[in-house]
Amino acid sequence: PKHPYSHRLPPVIVTPESLTSLSLVTCLTKYGIVLDAGSSHTSLYIYQWPAEKDNNTGRVEQKHHCQVAGKGISSYTATPYKAGESLISCLKEAKENIPQKMHPETPLYLGATAGMRLLKLENSSASDEVFKAVEKTLRGFPFSYQGARLLAGQEEGAFGWVTVNYLDDRLTQVSMGGFKYTSVHGNESGLETTGALDLGGASTQISFVSDEYNGSESPDNAVSFRLYGYDYTLYTHSFLCYGKDQALRLSGPTAIMDPCFHKGYNETKHYAAVYDSPCVSDQKPQIVSETFIHLGGGNFTQCQEVIKSVFNFTSCRYSRCSFNGIFQPPLQGQFGTFVLFIYTQRFLIISIHFSPSQRLQIKKEHDIPLKYLAEYCFSGTYILTLMMEGYNFTSETYSSIKYIQKVSCDAGWTLGYMLNLTNMIPAEAPDSPPLTYTSYVSVVTVMAILLFVIFILILYSLCALLIQIMPILGNI
Ligand SMILES: Nc1nc2c(ncn2[C@@H]2O[C@H](COP(=O)(O)OP(=O)(O)OP(=O)(O)O)[C@@H](O)[C@H]2O)c(=O)[nH]1
Ligand SMILES: [Ca+2]
């Protein structure tokens, strides 16, 4: 579906004045392109920032989002060249959305996530072929190609955390009109950073700063950042196979009558398609027939039991774990979530608060594909189990979760990835920006008012003194 927040700037009416202002604007703006090659689909994001503020004080904004048609690049193992071809339409859109003179200096990145992690596990030569085809296509465009690579799960989680805190202005707090930067971090200033939760199709990530975690226990889960003069030790973990689509496979085949789908749901599934993932290859039954009928049982309690069966909540060799024996420090502060959490939460709110006819209307408006509709019950139950039983959220901490989908920017790892690679978030706090004209005027005005008040006070106290001593002087 077209992403509800895909941006199209209003057309510029071309006149001589607008041409000059447009060319003026364009040379004052810089751009960056990141492709998020996810397991279920690929998205292209264009970011922009004021060029004169290249010294790390410019606010990076999302200018454009293009969802690549078709599935993720990992689905093209049989025809790797199609993985590259699938990107062409959005790359052409990127050319139209960035002034031509800026193309050569616009960095172009592609990061692949869990879908390609699973393909690499299953067939690394096929994974290499897909990356080769993708690279060939990307190099064919006039941007500054910076590489197509597989992100590690910890990176995906960490860059999602950077995005959430950048969008939340948590990493720097500009106060007094830009005169100084005070960075907020945990105990330094009493304010905390925001944790990040990302649920994809093939993996899910949790990342947050916890005062009780310095990276000594389970160091593999620690990622350190120095941002704007402050050090952060981030806890992050990526659970491969625990994205929604893979979790559906983990829990689905065991129940032909699937309690997580509504009554009346009826789908013919192909064993090969269900078991084609390394996440369930060890569960592959002796094929009795090519297909099986997947029916909806519509039983929430049973659904919860089926979903809980895909987690291991008991084994833990650390001081404390989330699930499957993975260390997790105590949760701390607020959390921001994006993508699937938002879709599911929005749907569940609609289904609770709206009448069937209103829901039908909303479904038409939001053009929610039938495939997604059927899976919402599973997604909602899965998210609840993941959060409450897996990550140990409580009803209080769960309610503090923020759904970050700023109209100005789709949250996700891509913004954090680009900010990091373009050094748009400096390790040290940049010097306070030079006094801008407006702040200069405001300082002078404030000083003038202060001087005037002091003058009046002195005058007043002189008069009061004179009144006191006049009678005395009169007697002398
Ligand atoms: N309900 C609903 N689900 C969606 C929509 N768009 C994507 N999804 C599903 O949400 C899940 C997560 O989507 P993404 O976060 O894009 O997943 P991804 O990035 O491809 O997967 P990873 O590589 O694991 O990160 C996938 O199963 C998608 O099919 C939507 O508009 N509505
Ligand atoms: Ca993703």
mmCIF file with all atom_site columns, all heavy atoms in Angstrom, residues 351-364:
data_model
loop_
_atom_site.group_PDB
_atom_site.id
_atom_site.type_symbol
_atom_site.label_atom_id
_atom_site.label_alt_id
_atom_site.label_comp_id
_atom_site.label_asym_id
_atom_site.label_entity_id
_atom_site.label_seq_id
_atom_site.pdbx_PDB_ins_code
_atom_site.Cartn_x
_atom_site.Cartn_y
_atom_site.Cartn_z
_atom_site.occupancy
_atom_site.B_iso_or_equiv
_atom_site.pdbx_formal_charge
_atom_site.auth_seq_id
_atom_site.auth_comp_id
_atom_site.auth_asym_id
_atom_site.auth_atom_id
_atom_site.pdbx_PDB_model_num
ATOM 1   N N   . SER A 1 351 ? -10.953 -1.105 15.616 1.00 0.00 ? 351 SER A N   1
ATOM 2   C CA  . SER A 1 351 ? -11.907 -2.224 15.771 1.00 0.00 ? 351 SER A CA  1
ATOM 3   C C   . SER A 1 351 ? -12.615 -2.140 17.111 1.00 0.00 ? 351 SER A C   1
ATOM 4   O O   . SER A 1 351 ? -13.713 -2.656 17.259 1.00 0.00 ? 351 SER A O   1
ATOM 5   C CB  . SER A 1 351 ? -11.179 -3.563 15.639 1.00 0.00 ? 351 SER A CB  1
ATOM 6   O OG  . SER A 1 351 ? -10.017 -3.539 16.418 1.00 0.00 ? 351 SER A OG  1
ATOM 7   N N   . ILE A 1 352 ? -12.028 -1.457 18.079 1.00 0.00 ? 352 ILE A N   1
ATOM 8   C CA  . ILE A 1 352 ? -12.713 -1.364 19.385 1.00 0.00 ? 352 ILE A CA  1
ATOM 9   C C   . ILE A 1 352 ? -13.681 -0.186 19.370 1.00 0.00 ? 352 ILE A C   1
ATOM 10  O O   . ILE A 1 352 ? -14.808 -0.291 19.825 1.00 0.00 ? 352 ILE A O   1
ATOM 11  C CB  . ILE A 1 352 ? -11.663 -1.182 20.513 1.00 0.00 ? 352 ILE A CB  1
ATOM 12  C CG1 . ILE A 1 352 ? -10.801 -2.448 20.635 1.00 0.00 ? 352 ILE A CG1 1
ATOM 13  C CG2 . ILE A 1 352 ? -12.353 -0.889 21.847 1.00 0.00 ? 352 ILE A CG2 1
ATOM 14  C CD1 . ILE A 1 352 ? -9.544  -2.241 21.438 1.00 0.00 ? 352 ILE A CD1 1
ATOM 15  N N   . HIS A 1 353 ? -13.272 0.931  18.812 1.00 0.00 ? 353 HIS A N   1
ATOM 16  C CA  . HIS A 1 353 ? -14.060 2.168  18.966 1.00 0.00 ? 353 HIS A CA  1
ATOM 17  C C   . HIS A 1 353 ? -15.024 2.460  17.831 1.00 0.00 ? 353 HIS A C   1
ATOM 18  O O   . HIS A 1 353 ? -15.817 3.372  17.910 1.00 0.00 ? 353 HIS A O   1
ATOM 19  C CB  . HIS A 1 353 ? -13.107 3.371  19.132 1.00 0.00 ? 353 HIS A CB  1
ATOM 20  C CG  . HIS A 1 353 ? -12.291 3.293  20.394 1.00 0.00 ? 353 HIS A CG  1
ATOM 21  N ND1 . HIS A 1 353 ? -12.849 3.219  21.655 1.00 0.00 ? 353 HIS A ND1 1
ATOM 22  C CD2 . HIS A 1 353 ? -10.958 3.201  20.597 1.00 0.00 ? 353 HIS A CD2 1
ATOM 23  C CE1 . HIS A 1 353 ? -11.909 3.127  22.573 1.00 0.00 ? 353 HIS A CE1 1
ATOM 24  N NE2 . HIS A 1 353 ? -10.733 3.124  21.957 1.00 0.00 ? 353 HIS A NE2 1
ATOM 25  N N   . PHE A 1 354 ? -14.943 1.714  16.741 1.00 0.00 ? 354 PHE A N   1
ATOM 26  C CA  . PHE A 1 354 ? -15.796 2.098  15.613 1.00 0.00 ? 354 PHE A CA  1
ATOM 27  C C   . PHE A 1 354 ? -16.807 0.990  15.317 1.00 0.00 ? 354 PHE A C   1
ATOM 28  O O   . PHE A 1 354 ? -16.532 -0.181 15.534 1.00 0.00 ? 354 PHE A O   1
ATOM 29  C CB  . PHE A 1 354 ? -14.939 2.363  14.365 1.00 0.00 ? 354 PHE A CB  1
ATOM 30  C CG  . PHE A 1 354 ? -14.140 3.631  14.469 1.00 0.00 ? 354 PHE A CG  1
ATOM 31  C CD1 . PHE A 1 354 ? -12.892 3.618  15.093 1.00 0.00 ? 354 PHE A CD1 1
ATOM 32  C CD2 . PHE A 1 354 ? -14.618 4.837  13.992 1.00 0.00 ? 354 PHE A CD2 1
ATOM 33  C CE1 . PHE A 1 354 ? -12.133 4.776  15.219 1.00 0.00 ? 354 PHE A CE1 1
ATOM 34  C CE2 . PHE A 1 354 ? -13.874 6.002  14.111 1.00 0.00 ? 354 PHE A CE2 1
ATOM 35  C CZ  . PHE A 1 354 ? -12.619 5.971  14.722 1.00 0.00 ? 354 PHE A CZ  1
ATOM 36  N N   . SER A 1 355 ? -17.965 1.403  14.789 1.00 0.00 ? 355 SER A N   1
ATOM 37  C CA  . SER A 1 355 ? -18.998 0.401  14.419 1.00 0.00 ? 355 SER A CA  1
ATOM 38  C C   . SER A 1 355 ? -18.546 -0.331 13.153 1.00 0.00 ? 355 SER A C   1
ATOM 39  O O   . SER A 1 355 ? -17.672 0.175  12.422 1.00 0.00 ? 355 SER A O   1
ATOM 40  C CB  . SER A 1 355 ? -20.300 1.152  14.123 1.00 0.00 ? 355 SER A CB  1
ATOM 41  O OG  . SER A 1 355 ? -20.095 1.903  12.921 1.00 0.00 ? 355 SER A OG  1
ATOM 42  N N   . PRO A 1 356 ? -19.117 -1.520 12.890 1.00 0.00 ? 356 PRO A N   1
ATOM 43  C CA  . PRO A 1 356 ? -18.728 -2.283 11.686 1.00 0.00 ? 356 PRO A CA  1
ATOM 44  C C   . PRO A 1 356 ? -18.804 -1.434 10.414 1.00 0.00 ? 356 PRO A C   1
ATOM 45  O O   . PRO A 1 356 ? -17.897 -1.457 9.596  1.00 0.00 ? 356 PRO A O   1
ATOM 46  C CB  . PRO A 1 356 ? -19.734 -3.435 11.669 1.00 0.00 ? 356 PRO A CB  1
ATOM 47  C CG  . PRO A 1 356 ? -20.108 -3.629 13.111 1.00 0.00 ? 356 PRO A CG  1
ATOM 48  C CD  . PRO A 1 356 ? -20.078 -2.260 13.723 1.00 0.00 ? 356 PRO A CD  1
ATOM 49  N N   . SER A 1 357 ? -19.835 -0.605 10.284 1.00 0.00 ? 357 SER A N   1
ATOM 50  C CA  . SER A 1 357 ? -19.937 0.184  9.025  1.00 0.00 ? 357 SER A CA  1
ATOM 51  C C   . SER A 1 357 ? -18.814 1.220  8.978  1.00 0.00 ? 357 SER A C   1
ATOM 52  O O   . SER A 1 357 ? -18.171 1.405  7.950  1.00 0.00 ? 357 SER A O   1
ATOM 53  C CB  . SER A 1 357 ? -21.290 0.893  8.972  1.00 0.00 ? 357 SER A CB  1
ATOM 54  O OG  . SER A 1 357 ? -21.409 1.727  10.133 1.00 0.00 ? 357 SER A OG  1
ATOM 55  N N   . GLN A 1 358 ? -18.509 1.813  10.155 1.00 0.00 ? 358 GLN A N   1
ATOM 56  C CA  . GLN A 1 358 ? -17.413 2.803  10.164 1.00 0.00 ? 358 GLN A CA  1
ATOM 57  C C   . GLN A 1 358 ? -16.097 2.102  9.833  1.00 0.00 ? 358 GLN A C   1
ATOM 58  O O   . GLN A 1 358 ? -15.261 2.600  9.109  1.00 0.00 ? 358 GLN A O   1
ATOM 59  C CB  . GLN A 1 358 ? -17.310 3.458  11.562 1.00 0.00 ? 358 GLN A CB  1
ATOM 60  C CG  . GLN A 1 358 ? -18.372 4.494  11.852 1.00 0.00 ? 358 GLN A CG  1
ATOM 61  C CD  . GLN A 1 358 ? -18.338 4.908  13.329 1.00 0.00 ? 358 GLN A CD  1
ATOM 62  O OE1 . GLN A 1 358 ? -18.215 4.044  14.208 1.00 0.00 ? 358 GLN A OE1 1
ATOM 63  N NE2 . GLN A 1 358 ? -18.434 6.202  13.595 1.00 0.00 ? 358 GLN A NE2 1
ATOM 64  N N   . ARG A 1 359 ? -15.955 0.863  10.375 1.00 0.00 ? 359 ARG A N   1
ATOM 65  C CA  . ARG A 1 359 ? -14.691 0.137  10.126 1.00 0.00 ? 359 ARG A CA  1
ATOM 66  C C   . ARG A 1 359 ? -14.545 -0.136 8.634  1.00 0.00 ? 359 ARG A C   1
ATOM 67  O O   . ARG A 1 359 ? -13.475 0.003  8.063  1.00 0.00 ? 359 ARG A O   1
ATOM 68  C CB  . ARG A 1 359 ? -14.712 -1.208 10.882 1.00 0.00 ? 359 ARG A CB  1
ATOM 69  C CG  . ARG A 1 359 ? -14.395 -1.089 12.366 1.00 0.00 ? 359 ARG A CG  1
ATOM 70  C CD  . ARG A 1 359 ? -14.388 -2.475 13.031 1.00 0.00 ? 359 ARG A CD  1
ATOM 71  N NE  . ARG A 1 359 ? -15.329 -2.510 14.154 1.00 0.00 ? 359 ARG A NE  1
ATOM 72  C CZ  . ARG A 1 359 ? -15.804 -3.623 14.675 1.00 0.00 ? 359 ARG A CZ  1
ATOM 73  N NH1 . ARG A 1 359 ? -15.464 -4.788 14.171 1.00 0.00 ? 359 ARG A NH1 1
ATOM 74  N NH2 . ARG A 1 359 ? -16.628 -3.583 15.698 1.00 0.00 ? 359 ARG A NH2 1
ATOM 75  N N   . LEU A 1 360 ? -15.684 -0.495 8.024  1.00 0.00 ? 360 LEU A N   1
ATOM 76  C CA  . LEU A 1 360 ? -15.627 -0.783 6.592  1.00 0.00 ? 360 LEU A CA  1
ATOM 77  C C   . LEU A 1 360 ? -15.173 0.478  5.844  1.00 0.00 ? 360 LEU A C   1
ATOM 78  O O   . LEU A 1 360 ? -14.305 0.441  4.979  1.00 0.00 ? 360 LEU A O   1
ATOM 79  C CB  . LEU A 1 360 ? -17.014 -1.226 6.112  1.00 0.00 ? 360 LEU A CB  1
ATOM 80  C CG  . LEU A 1 360 ? -17.030 -2.164 4.887  1.00 0.00 ? 360 LEU A CG  1
ATOM 81  C CD1 . LEU A 1 360 ? -16.223 -3.411 5.178  1.00 0.00 ? 360 LEU A CD1 1
ATOM 82  C CD2 . LEU A 1 360 ? -18.453 -2.504 4.485  1.00 0.00 ? 360 LEU A CD2 1
ATOM 83  N N   . GLN A 1 361 ? -15.750 1.612  6.285  1.00 0.00 ? 361 GLN A N   1
ATOM 84  C CA  . GLN A 1 361 ? -15.401 2.899  5.657  1.00 0.00 ? 361 GLN A CA  1
ATOM 85  C C   . GLN A 1 361 ? -13.908 3.161  5.812  1.00 0.00 ? 361 GLN A C   1
ATOM 86  O O   . GLN A 1 361 ? -13.197 3.476  4.863  1.00 0.00 ? 361 GLN A O   1
ATOM 87  C CB  . GLN A 1 361 ? -16.222 4.019  6.328  1.00 0.00 ? 361 GLN A CB  1
ATOM 88  C CG  . GLN A 1 361 ? -15.996 5.417  5.759  1.00 0.00 ? 361 GLN A CG  1
ATOM 89  C CD  . GLN A 1 361 ? -16.249 5.483  4.271  1.00 0.00 ? 361 GLN A CD  1
ATOM 90  O OE1 . GLN A 1 361 ? -17.088 4.721  3.753  1.00 0.00 ? 361 GLN A OE1 1
ATOM 91  N NE2 . GLN A 1 361 ? -15.523 6.332  3.563  1.00 0.00 ? 361 GLN A NE2 1
ATOM 92  N N   . ILE A 1 362 ? -13.405 2.950  7.031  1.00 0.00 ? 362 ILE A N   1
ATOM 93  C CA  . ILE A 1 362 ? -11.973 3.218  7.296  1.00 0.00 ? 362 ILE A CA  1
ATOM 94  C C   . ILE A 1 362 ? -11.101 2.261  6.495  1.00 0.00 ? 362 ILE A C   1
ATOM 95  O O   . ILE A 1 362 ? -10.090 2.613  5.917  1.00 0.00 ? 362 ILE A O   1
ATOM 96  C CB  . ILE A 1 362 ? -11.682 3.099  8.808  1.00 0.00 ? 362 ILE A CB  1
ATOM 97  C CG1 . ILE A 1 362 ? -12.327 4.280  9.553  1.00 0.00 ? 362 ILE A CG1 1
ATOM 98  C CG2 . ILE A 1 362 ? -10.182 3.053  9.099  1.00 0.00 ? 362 ILE A CG2 1
ATOM 99  C CD1 . ILE A 1 362 ? -12.381 4.119  11.040 1.00 0.00 ? 362 ILE A CD1 1
ATOM 100 N N   . LYS A 1 363 ? -11.557 0.993  6.403  1.00 0.00 ? 363 LYS A N   1
ATOM 101 C CA  . LYS A 1 363 ? -10.768 0.008  5.637  1.00 0.00 ? 363 LYS A CA  1
ATOM 102 C C   . LYS A 1 363 ? -10.636 0.476  4.194  1.00 0.00 ? 363 LYS A C   1
ATOM 103 O O   . LYS A 1 363 ? -9.555  0.476  3.632  1.00 0.00 ? 363 LYS A O   1
ATOM 104 C CB  . LYS A 1 363 ? -11.464 -1.356 5.676  1.00 0.00 ? 363 LYS A CB  1
ATOM 105 C CG  . LYS A 1 363 ? -10.754 -2.385 4.795  1.00 0.00 ? 363 LYS A CG  1
ATOM 106 C CD  . LYS A 1 363 ? -11.544 -3.636 4.579  1.00 0.00 ? 363 LYS A CD  1
ATOM 107 C CE  . LYS A 1 363 ? -10.930 -4.512 3.493  1.00 0.00 ? 363 LYS A CE  1
ATOM 108 N NZ  . LYS A 1 363 ? -10.514 -3.775 2.286  1.00 0.00 ? 363 LYS A NZ  1
ATOM 109 N N   . LYS A 1 364 ? -11.763 0.990  3.644  1.00 0.00 ? 364 LYS A N   1
ATOM 110 C CA  . LYS A 1 364 ? -11.723 1.472  2.258  1.00 0.00 ? 364 LYS A CA  1
ATOM 111 C C   . LYS A 1 364 ? -10.755 2.671  2.189  1.00 0.00 ? 364 LYS A C   1
ATOM 112 O O   . LYS A 1 364 ? -9.883  2.738  1.342  1.00 0.00 ? 364 LYS A O   1
ATOM 113 C CB  . LYS A 1 364 ? -13.122 1.884  1.793  1.00 0.00 ? 364 LYS A CB  1
ATOM 114 C CG  . LYS A 1 364 ? -14.006 0.695  1.411  1.00 0.00 ? 364 LYS A CG  1
ATOM 115 C CD  . LYS A 1 364 ? -15.226 1.154  0.595  1.00 0.00 ? 364 LYS A CD  1
ATOM 116 C CE  . LYS A 1 364 ? -16.248 0.012  0.470  1.00 0.00 ? 364 LYS A CE  1
ATOM 117 N NZ  . LYS A 1 364 ? -17.393 0.219  1.386  1.00 0.00 ? 364 LYS A NZ  1
#
